[in-house]
Amino acid sequence: MKLNGEKIVKYGLITVAFSALASLLLIAGFILKEGLPFMLKVGVRDFLLASDWDPQAGKFGIYPMIVASLYVAFGAMLIGAPLGVAGAIFLNEFVPKPVMRVVKPTIELLAGIPSVVFGFLGVMVLAPFIRQNMGGPGLSVLAAAVILGIMVLPTVISISSDAIGAVPNSYREGALALGATRWQSVYMVTIKAAWSGIIASIILAMGRALGETMAVIMVAGNTVKIPHSVTDPVRTLTANIALEMANATGMAREALFATGVVLFVVIMILNGIALSTIKTKVRRK
Amino acid sequence: MRISPKIAQVLAVFLLGASTLLTLAILVFIIVFVLSKGLPGVNFEFLFSSPKDMGRAGGIFPTLVGTVLLPLMALALAVPLGVGTAVYLTEYTRETRFTRILRFGTDCLAGIPSIIFGLFGFIFFVVTLKMGWCLLSGGLTLAIMVLPTIIRTSEEATRAVPNSYREVSFSLGATRWETVLKVVLPNALPGIVTGVMLGIGRCIGETAVVIFTAGSSLRMPTSAFDSVRTMSVHFYILAREGISNEKAYATAAVLVISVLLVNLAAYGMMHHFIAKRSK
Amino acid sequence: MFRQFKSLCCASLAGGLVLAAGCGNSREGITMAGSTAFQPFAEKLAEQYMITHPELSITVQGGGSSLGIKSCLSGVAQIGVADLIELPVEAAALLSIVAARDGIAVVLNPANKVAAMTLEQVKDVFTGKIQNWNQVGGEDHAVAVISREAGSGTRSSFEQIIGGVKLTSDALIQDSNGTIRETVANDPNAIGYISHGLVNEKIKSVTVDGYSCTEAEIMAGNYKLVRPIFLMAKKDASPACKAFLEYVLCAEAQELIHQNGLIKVK
């Protein structure tokens, strides 16, 4: 009878996994259905590489926005990843457990603050600061990157911290027994063991950075131009979708869904790169 | 020039500690800023009365209710589906091309901008299925949105449980499902809870998706087919339309405190659970 | 503990189903959707109207003027709200009334010396022809132009009134009245436009062609930057719906609108 129960559970879980997959496919299908026809009509190259975005005049080039999204996301990761991973390592390895148990949930608190609050703070505090000290209008790549970097910190810290925490103590003890200092055991053993979890956190965080809309709209300036410095205003792909969607009809609306397709492809490429990095690291071992 | 390991350690601890302090400082600054501007406006009346005068006066009670119900509905769907999928991937299958594709797809979907989920939810649930702007549309859309995160973090968590635990369980005669339920999941709980926390955080913090699917009605919801407004949406509308910065900050303060309480409660529950088991 | 967790899950699922079943509302539901600028006012009107008509349940959504028109046409909303100068072609099939009028104030930072501009100058600043404040009597500094997004009723009204403008590609774009106000309040070189009811002490509005953006000047027809707020419904809308539309035009409702910062229709 127990074996029958096992079969039920197995099929139950298969159903669950498939329904999860089904809902994910639903979304993917939705975006592609709305956006792909447009891209085929206008031509992928013209869409991606043209710099003229003027829906009313029939121009749909999104190149400046692709550049903007990439700059802003990478800037955010430059800030969020090192700070986040460093924080995770410090909290897990160099801080007494009771302190960690209080600090970690507090940092995860950041994840619950709505993006609009971050955006608003960005408008009220960060943008004027940048404008006064670095020039430009304040609403810029830098403002967006900083705000996004802060926003992805909890994701990076939580997931990395869990990965590091899951490394069995025997690994650490082994290293210490061989005469390593704490730090040596961390970077030679623990981090390597937790590496896939750390990378997972950075990938998830980068995905979030690329997809963030509200906070970015409020602090990036939303000008459709390729930025020449970090203090120039930019419009990311997501901001473009949010700003134009309500008014878009016909071709303009399809163009915005096509932008969604582009985002999807960009994320797939990034994930692919990250995945192959893990594979080569694992193989080298 | 070789740095002695001891000095390297001091340097490392210093840098790591400084980074952590910086992160904490930023967090503290944000929380203090929001609370200092918002707490003065928060009192019992604010929490339990309805908004009056377009939100310039009165309280935020309906939005509190909305903020509780919406993530609850989303998680009621996303957690079983997500954890179940993760368990299936780690415990019931080998590493095949299918699992790799599923994982890859999940990662990609974690990156789709919330606005696309919002549009999808609007077109699919609100318009095509004629559900209108309501809790159900919002809950379903949010569930699909946080599903990838929960799958990924649960999978990492279950995968990290050492195989020796499973082997011991099998050698004692347990079935696979019993092992999962009594050995793997309890040990993976911290990671799963992290994923759920991040999911809750995302649900509470979302504005675009909620506005497009659950609407922004200020009335108290009486059924799953009523439109609701969450506190984030309320903050968004108050700040965006310039209605009342004080009330906006007060709403933000309540939001921050609620999230803190939810996190603390979840961690408390989890530690209680772990402590009980290790007796 | 797991048993408790499982029963908690079952309980919440059951609760959810009960909620779903409890949708037997005997009240008629009217959904209004559209202009975010008018949303707070619509809520106030709905609140007031439901006191005397408890058999109705009026919910107000935002989404913007274009969404308002589309929702009304597709039936998702019974009443659409749009703050445009004139309704687009597709709205011709709908019943529409003008519920209120709203002045658009051209706003500057209080530290900016400029206090008066002509309509022509406003147009030139927003098209990028004038790029420095010293060309209109201010300091020697580049102008930071801030505008609303493409779908905004405020923006299309503004651009239509000042003369079919093509916005300079250097303009910063913010997506709401409130954020434009904050941005202008924090940047001495910024210029933007918002609903006149939202001007507060952190920013100042300039006079256009000598007329300031006050209710008196708008009623007198002197201040030109004004746009109407339309409420629309399908021609075969329910009687309750049409009754609400009539209510919005009555004296009590108009007074309510007026007290909260918009301008009456008459």
Side-chain angles (χ1 to χ4, degrees), chain A residues 100-159:
Chain A
M100 197 260 268
R101 275 211 217 108
V102 169
V103 172
K104 188 158 174 267
T106 326
I107 293 185
E108 275 161 21
L109 182 61
L110 265 178
I113 299 183
S115 28
V116 282
V117 175
F118 280 108
F120 200 57
L121 288 179
V123 171
M124 308 277 274
V125 177
L126 188 61
F129 180 77
I130 295 179
R131 187 181 50 83
Q132 276 159 356
N133 296 318
M134 297 179 68
L139 301 172
S140 54
V141 180
L142 186 60
V146 169
I147 295 278
L148 275 182
I150 298 177
M151 284 172 75
V152 300
L153 269 174
T155 310
V156 176
I157 293 184
S158 310
I159 302 181

Side-chain angles (χ1 to χ4, degrees), chain A residues 54 120 123-124 128 131 137 139 217-218 221-223 225 233 235 243-249, chain C residues 63 66-67 70 149-151 166 169-175 179 182-183 186-189 202:
Chain A
D54 190 358
F120 200 57
V123 171
M124 308 277 274
R131 187 181 50 83
L139 301 172
I217 289 187
M218 290 169 114
N222 303 311
T223 321
K225 276 196 154 166
R235 183 186 292 202
L243 288 171
E244 306 261 338
M245 188 50 90
N247 192 42
T249 45
Chain C
S66 323
L67 189 74
K70 282 188 227 174
E149 76 283 11
K166 181 143 189 311
S169 57
D170 281 325
L172 300 166
I173 304 220
Q174 291 287 37
D175 72 334
T179 38
E182 291 306 325
T183 314
N186 285 319
D187 184 350
N189 304 302
K202 288 201 263 181

Side-chain angles (χ1 to χ4, degrees), chain B residues 79-129:
Chain B
V79 169
L81 273 179
V83 176
T85 310
V87 162
Y88 177 71
L89 282 176
T90 36
E91 307 290 328
Y92 285 83
T93 54
R94 278 164 311 161
E95 187 70 16
T96 62
R97 211 151 45 127
F98 172 68
T99 58
R100 267 196 294 266
I101 295 179
L102 185 61
R103 197 171 303 126
F104 187 65
T106 313
D107 278 337
C108 294
L109 274 139
I112 291 195
S114 28
I115 185 125
I116 302 239
F117 284 106
L119 288 170
F120 166 76
F122 177 66
I123 295 182
F124 190 64
F125 295 116
V126 177
V127 179
T128 313
L129 290 186

Side-chain angles (χ1 to χ4, degrees), chain A residues 199-214:
Chain A
I199 295 280
S201 74
I202 297 187
I203 294 179
L204 275 174
M206 182 136 63
R208 175 127 194 241
L210 271 173
E212 180 53 46
T213 325
M214 288 301 169

Side-chain angles (χ1 to χ4, degrees), chain C residues 117-127 129-130 136 162 208-209:
Chain C
M117 292 172 73
T118 66
L119 200 64
E120 197 61 32
Q121 286 175 323
V122 172
K123 178 171 165 182
D124 288 340
V125 168
F126 277 88
T127 47
K129 220 163 120 195
I130 297 182
V136 286
I162 62 177
V208 177
D209 286 339

